Amino acid sequence: MRDLVDFESLLSGEKSRAPDEAEMRESVKGLEGAKARRLGMRIWLEQQRALRSRREFPGEIWSNSRFLIGALIGVLMFLAGIGVMSGLLNRERMGFHVPMLVGVTIGLQVLILIIAAMTWVLRSRFSKGLGFVPRILGWLIGKATGRRRILWRKTWETFRLEGGKAWEALGWNLLRLTQAGAVMFSLGLMAGLLGCIWFLEVGFFWESTTPEWMMGKIWQFSTWLSLPWSWLFPEWAPTMELIGKTRWNAASKDEIFALAAGWYRFLFAAIFVWGLLPRLILWMLAVWKERAAMAALDFQAKRHRELWRGLMGTLRVDVSEPPVDGVLVLDVGGTGLKKEQLRGFLLRRLRVNPGEWIEVAVWDRKGDEAAVSSIRSGPAGVVLLAEGWALAPPRMSALREKVRSLAGANTMIYFLVSNVSSEGRPLEATEEEKKIWRDYVDSLADASAEVFFYEEEKS
């Protein structure tokens, strides 16, 4: 997360410096699509960090602020747990009222988990993903960033407004923080109970105006709570005899104190199993989900694709292995351009060697049988050749989806845009046409698709 915050802040902040082309070229050599993009952007980030003399980057501020806030929350929650447990101690009787103790220490935590589960189900009504969690923690971290608050807020808003995997990863990252606080609260409860047992003479009791009914309910509920461990430690589950002997006024105070061990072992186990353990599981789930979201980042936002296009604009000639053989060229709509006219540009700029060259319409549902057969044969890539003025997004998208469904998710799709002169020669597209095509390809959010524009070879 620290690296992602740095990456977005540097990308949206001051103008980036020129990368070290030799390192970039060697690192992404032979890679295409999402793999090349992720590695290239990692290298770009490290180079931008090295080229700047700042002592602190936004990601470091985020990391340090999150640590400080997490430590503060952990300490406060631990102390709160101790305070709640000591507050439940009846000072006059020097004992704990068992139903009240279970209700506060376990019942409230289970209720919070149920509310959290309902919030999760209805999360889309509040904001994108886990938005309510990052907003609260983001406000706290924003307060801690001091002079850099404006830059942090800009990066934060970028995550929030775009949603996607970055926002999801941020939500899970901060959810970890809340679950760590909940774990510390349960540990505080256990520490408070242990302190009372060690340093004070305390007992455990219950009372009711309907003792027979209450005794049965306490036994049923405690037996149910004890199911996860009673098969292994049967003595850690209260018996009907223990419950009967610890009713206030039914036994002497000394007898209640003598039977304390039967209750506190049960209470320790119950707080651990029903309070601490679910939070630990949620914490581990959040860690796993955060890593999964980070691994699924595709860097397909417009600014990401523009950066990648800028990086690869000067490097594309040199970064690949020898030209890929056997790419299929689909002349969309019939530009009339021939393989011989564009072969040099394809080899030089795209590093691909044209194989079959098929003229197709902008596909209908049936498609062109020859093109379908060629794509199914597994070409190294597919080039969609079109004129600059000829973009019809709905129909072009249908064509791309058809190609993608036949070729697979990892096959590169190269959009090649070239106008045609009156003599039938390839010409460069206009700047306006280039912008339209870039915006369209960027909107596809396809890591294995890129747009290229024909350029005259410079002598």
Side-chain angles (χ1 to χ4, degrees):
M1 184 55 66
R2 173 181 177 177
D3 291 338
L4 181 60
V5 171
D6 272 352
F7 175 78
E8 293 292 353
S9 298
L10 290 170
L11 186 57
S12 62
E14 62 190 74
K15 187 176 181 181
S16 62
R17 315 287 181 84
D20 183 336
E21 294 191 6
E23 181 183 357
M24 184 77 73
R25 182 183 302 113
E26 184 62 29
S27 298
V28 302
K29 189 175 183 179
L31 298 178
E32 287 287 359
K35 291 183 179 179
R37 191 185 304 270
R38 289 176 64 88
L39 179 57
M41 298 214 177
R42 158 67 66 178
I43 295 168
W44 177 85
L45 172 61
E46 296 300 333
Q47 290 182 1
Q48 298 306 308
R49 282 171 169 169
L51 288 169
R52 287 165 168 77
S53 58
R54 293 177 181 170
R55 294 183 179 179
E56 280 188 317
F57 286 92
E60 185 177 0
I61 296 172
W62 147 262
S63 180
N64 292 339
S65 299
R66 184 193 180 283
F67 174 79
L68 290 174
I69 291 173
L72 178 62
I73 290 174
V75 171
L76 291 177
M77 293 298 286
F78 183 77
L79 294 176
I82 294 176
V84 167
M85 185 59 70
S86 62
L88 289 171
L89 177 63
N90 187 315
R91 301 289 175 173
E92 293 182 4
R93 299 177 179 180
M94 289 305 294
F96 289 97
H97 190 279
V98 174
M100 184 180 297
L101 181 65
V102 172
V104 172
T105 61
I106 300 172
L108 284 180
Q109 293 205 68
V110 172
L111 179 61
I112 291 171
L113 282 176
I114 293 173
I115 294 173
M118 293 175 63
T119 304
W120 167 258
V121 172
L122 300 173
R123 66 191 184 280
S124 60
R125 295 179 179 270
F126 295 94
S127 61
K128 297 177 181 178
L130 295 167
F132 66 96
V133 177
R135 284 188 183 184
I136 296 172
L137 274 298
W139 178 81
L140 292 173
I141 293 170
K143 290 293 183 182
T145 56
R147 293 177 302 169
R148 306 185 196 277
R149 187 157 53 232
I150 294 176
L151 180 59
W152 165 252
R153 186 180 299 161
K154 184 177 180 181
T155 303
W156 189 271
E157 286 299 311
T158 299
F159 287 155
R160 186 177 68 83
L161 294 175
E162 288 189 352
K165 293 299 180 180
W167 184 245
E168 181 181 337
L170 186 60
W172 288 113
N173 182 279
L174 294 175
L175 186 63
R176 284 169 46 194
L177 191 61
T178 64
Q179 297 313 301
V183 168
M184 293 302 293
F185 179 74
S186 292
L187 288 175
L189 291 174
M190 297 173 73
L193 180 59
L194 185 62
C196 290
I197 293 171
W198 275 358
F199 301 113
L200 301 172
E201 186 178 15
V202 298
F204 299 87
F205 66 91
W206 62 276
E207 58 184 341
S208 174
T209 55
T210 55
E212 295 298 327
W213 179 86
M214 177 61 79
M215 184 168 64
K217 292 301 179 183
I218 292 176
W219 182 80
Q220 291 176 5
F221 190 64
S222 60
T223 299
W224 181 81
L225 286 179
S226 305
L227 286 177
W229 68 83
S230 59
W231 60 275
L232 186 61
F233 302 106
E235 67 277 9
W236 287 25
T239 62
M240 184 69 81
E241 181 183 5
L242 173 67
I243 297 171
K245 288 182 177 180
T246 53
R247 181 169 71 87
W248 193 258
N249 291 329
S252 68
K253 189 174 182 180
D254 291 338
E255 288 178 315
I256 289 177
F257 283 177
L259 295 171
W263 277 116
Y264 72 68
R265 288 181 298 191
F266 161 76
L267 292 168
F268 270 120
I271 294 172
F272 177 81
V273 171
W274 298 103
L276 189 147
L277 192 58
R279 300 299 188 164
L280 278 177
I281 293 173
L282 283 174
W283 183 87
M284 290 187 288
L285 174 65
V287 171
W288 175 68
K289 294 290 285 185
E290 179 192 351
R291 292 179 178 177
M294 293 291 287
L297 285 171
D298 55 9
F299 298 102
Q300 291 300 300
K302 183 177 177 60
R303 65 186 182 284
H304 300 149
R305 296 184 69 94
E306 287 178 349
L307 171 65
W308 184 240
R309 195 176 291 123
L311 292 175
M312 302 312 290
T314 58
L315 302 176
R316 174 69 70 173
V317 171
D318 301 310
V319 296
S320 297
E321 298 288 353
V324 176
D325 288 326
V327 297
L328 170 65
V329 180
L330 300 180
D331 185 353
V332 182
T335 65
L337 295 174
K338 304 301 181 185
K339 181 189 298 188
E340 295 73 20
Q341 294 174 300
L342 291 176
R343 186 173 187 276
F345 176 79
L346 292 170
L347 288 168
R348 182 179 72 254
R349 184 70 174 84
L350 277 67
R351 304 299 293 170
V352 297
N353 189 26
E356 288 191 84
W357 193 287
I358 301 175
E359 183 176 314
V360 296
V362 179
W363 243 324
D364 56 20
R365 291 187 178 179
K366 294 182 179 178
D368 293 50
E369 292 301 324
V372 170
S373 177
S374 296
I375 295 172
R376 283 176 174 165
S377 66
V382 178
V383 177
L384 302 181
L385 173 61
E387 294 187 71
W389 58 266
L391 175 61
R395 301 179 70 188
M396 185 61 72
S397 295
L399 170 59
R400 186 199 70 89
E401 290 171 5
K402 182 69 174 180
V403 171
R404 181 62 72 209
S405 67
L406 294 170
N410 297 320
T411 300
M412 280 298 299
I413 296 179
Y414 308 86
F415 290 86
L416 176 57
V417 180
S418 173
N419 286 332
V420 184
S421 70
S422 57
E423 294 83 16
R425 293 183 297 103
L427 291 176
E428 292 188 25
T430 67
E431 289 302 319
E432 183 179 359
E433 290 169 342
K434 289 179 180 180
K435 182 180 184 305
I436 292 172
W437 275 94
R438 287 194 188 103
D439 289 344
Y440 166 71
V441 176
D442 290 347
S443 71
L444 299 175
D446 187 340
S448 298
E450 189 53 272
V451 62
F452 297 86
F453 303 97
Y454 175 79
E455 298 172 355
E456 295 284 350
E457 185 172 3
K458 298 178 181 178
S459 57

